[in-house]
Amino acid sequence: MTKVSAIIVASGRGTRFAPGQTNARPKQYHVINGSPVLSWTIRRFMEHSGIDEIQVVINSDDTELYEEAISSLPGTKLKPPVFGGATRQDSVRSGLEALTDAGSDDLVLIHDAARPLVSSDIIDAVLKGLSDHDAVTAAVPVADTMRHGTDDGVLTDAVDRNGLWVVQTPQAFRHSSILEAHRKAAGEGRHDFTDDTLVYQWFGKSVAVVNGARTNLKITREEDMAMVAYHLSGTPMETRVGTGYDVHAFDDGDAVILGGISIPHDRKLKGHSDADVGLHALTDAILGALGDGDIGTHFPPSDPQWKGAASDQFLIDAVRRVSALGGRIIHLDLTLICEAPKIGPHRDAMREQIAGICSLPVHRISVKATTSERLGFTGRREGIAAIGTATLSLPQQDD
């Protein structure tokens, strides 16, 4: 009996998704509508009756993220994950090699983890196509006008779009043939193919096309998340804004914790936790937009377990509450009010740190500072105040 396996490639770093960010969560693990992208993608193949087993290929640094992503999924079809390589080709080959019990007639579908909207109809179509062809890919005809452009952004001649297709995944093959093609490409040092149909055609085989769908989009940039969230939920989204305000007094010490980083200073901030007034304000801003109490509601200072706790725990929990409702954070804005320490030299580090805590691109984080012109307790250098503003996109709720 022919077995059908699905390889889901989830080992990429997504450099176009969050350019320049070394601490950004890979896009396949970003949470949309309460679940990581990878979880949605796996679920599409898990729920399809024609798929017998699923082999996920992950980055060796992402084991914990992967376990988190599959924690709510039944494991009946899932094989243990394997680690990918330096290129997509290396990762796909790792997945193919992991299917050690595959027979010569067994079939394999190769799919990008960042395409969570693949439908059962598309999976049906590529499987059906293998009845008559060596290999099949989902694709959609090019509908827009195509133009060449110069390096400095000037459009030149048009491209005839007749017969042009935008290639998607899944791509379906006989396991033995595509594995042989990948082994040959690796042996000859070819690592430049951008998808598996190109490897297969270089190997001398033909590839047929079946209709994909424009909704079967690949998450490439951060703005793609909103479109995927809309299609996954089918629910109109609404924008919510919340504000948070927090104050902490100075105490004897040699550094302050602000925005998740330690800044050398002749004082520290006094509080039950680490007294990060910036993260506290942002946490309250998110909770305010959710209408879900405040930081003291969820982490009461009377509870000894929060004594000296790092405040990123509070912010992570607030972000989790947004995701659990199927929402997303659009923007976080933090204003720190103090005479000292100087915030400017540390602003970018704070933005990076907050972005990492919240799994957001850094351009969605703003950190500013001002003084109170020597007025009030901040002007007297008795402490620091912070104002946080959170803008969220949440599924629309009936009034």
Side-chain angles (χ1 to χ4, degrees):
M1 183 176 177
T2 300
K3 182 175 63 177
V4 180
S5 304
I7 293 175
I8 298 178
V9 187
S11 55
R13 298 292 85 190
T15 54
R16 287 178 292 175
F17 181 78
Q21 280 191 256
T22 57
N23 64 345
R25 177 179 289 224
K27 62 187 177 183
Q28 60 269 32
Y29 297 108
H30 273 250
V31 175
I32 298 182
N33 294 8
S35 296
V37 170
L38 178 58
S39 179
W40 287 110
T41 305
I42 293 173
R43 192 176 288 123
R44 297 289 175 137
F45 289 88
M46 194 169 281
E47 294 174 351
H48 194 284
S49 61
I51 303 299
D52 297 310
E53 63 180 11
I54 300 169
Q55 177 66 69
V56 184
V57 185
I58 67 173
N59 190 286
S60 58
D61 294 332
D62 296 341
T63 301
E64 290 186 8
L65 290 173
Y66 175 74
E67 293 299 330
E68 176 187 333
I70 67 168
S71 61
S72 62
L73 299 175
T76 52
K77 291 185 180 182
L78 269 178
K79 294 172 65 68
V82 294
F83 295 145
T87 67
R88 186 183 186 280
Q89 280 177 245
D90 293 334
S91 297
V92 171
R93 191 174 73 255
S94 293
L96 291 167
E97 298 280 9
L99 303 176
T100 54
D101 58 346
S104 59
D105 294 327
D106 287 343
L107 310 180
V108 61
L109 276 63
I110 302 171
H111 187 68
D112 298 319
R115 292 187 191 270
L117 297 177
V118 61
S119 68
S120 60
D121 288 342
I122 295 176
I123 297 173
D124 285 339
V126 294
L127 285 173
K128 182 179 179 182
L130 283 180
S131 300
D132 302 312
H133 302 281
D134 288 338
V136 181
T137 185
V140 292
V142 172
D144 299 316
T145 298
M146 305 288 289
R147 299 280 299 276
H148 287 295
T150 63
D151 291 340
D152 55 355
V154 177
L155 291 176
T156 58
D157 55 308
V159 177
D160 183 1
R161 67 188 178 198
N162 290 323
L164 290 181
W165 293 79
V166 177
V167 176
Q168 301 178 335
T169 64
Q171 299 175 350
F173 309 86
R174 283 163 182 79
H175 176 271
S176 57
S177 295
I178 188 61
L179 176 57
E180 186 180 358
H182 267 282
R183 285 173 172 171
K184 182 176 176 63
E188 297 190 13
R190 291 296 305 269
H191 301 284
D192 55 320
F193 298 111
T194 56
D195 80 349
D196 302 290
T197 61
L198 291 173
V199 177
Y200 206 57
Q201 287 179 305
W202 169 83
F203 188 59
K205 301 289 187 177
S206 62
V207 179
V209 64
V210 297
N211 284 318
R214 300 195 188 283
T215 53
N216 184 28
L217 60 89
K218 183 179 181 181
I219 297 172
T220 303
R221 294 178 172 83
E222 199 271 340
E223 58 264 28
D224 297 331
M225 287 289 190
M227 181 68 70
V228 172
Y230 173 79
H231 283 290
L232 285 173
S233 68
T235 302
M237 305 296 281
E238 64 182 26
T239 301
R240 300 268 199 96
V241 177
T243 59
Y245 177 75
D246 197 38
V247 171
H248 281 280
F250 281 128
D251 200 357
D252 293 336
D254 57 7
V256 293
I257 307 297
L258 286 175
I261 67 172
S262 179
I263 299 175
H265 190 48
D266 57 4
R267 309 293 298 279
K268 72 174 183 179
L269 289 173
K270 183 179 181 180
H272 186 66
S273 64
D274 65 3
D276 190 330
V277 65
L279 295 192
H280 291 181
L282 289 176
T283 300
D284 268 353
I286 294 172
L287 293 173
L290 294 175
D292 192 7
D294 58 21
I295 195 170
T297 304
H298 302 287
F299 305 97
S302 58
D303 190 335
Q305 71 172 307
W306 306 121
K307 178 68 174 176
S311 295
D312 60 354
Q313 298 177 68
F314 311 148
L315 186 53
I316 289 169
D317 184 74
V319 173
R320 178 191 62 77
R321 292 172 185 274
V322 176
S323 298
L325 292 174
R328 59 189 286 264
I329 297 173
I330 298 174
H331 191 261
L332 294 176
D333 178 49
L334 174 63
T335 300
L336 296 166
I337 306 163
C338 60
E339 297 292 330
K342 294 296 184 183
I343 303 302
H346 308 284
R347 180 182 291 112
D348 289 342
M350 288 187 195
R351 293 179 68 208
E352 288 279 355
Q353 185 72 4
I354 295 167
I357 293 168
C358 300
S359 296
L360 290 172
V362 73
H363 72 262
R364 295 194 178 275
I365 309 296
S366 171
V367 174
K368 310 185 302 295
T370 188
T371 70
S372 56
E373 300 294 337
R374 300 186 179 181
L375 299 175
F377 74 92
T378 57
R380 294 189 297 270
R381 301 185 179 224
E382 295 172 2
I384 297 178
I387 300 171
T389 303
T391 306
L392 312 182
S393 178
L394 295 171
Q396 187 171 306
Q397 298 180 3
D398 295 331
D399 295 328

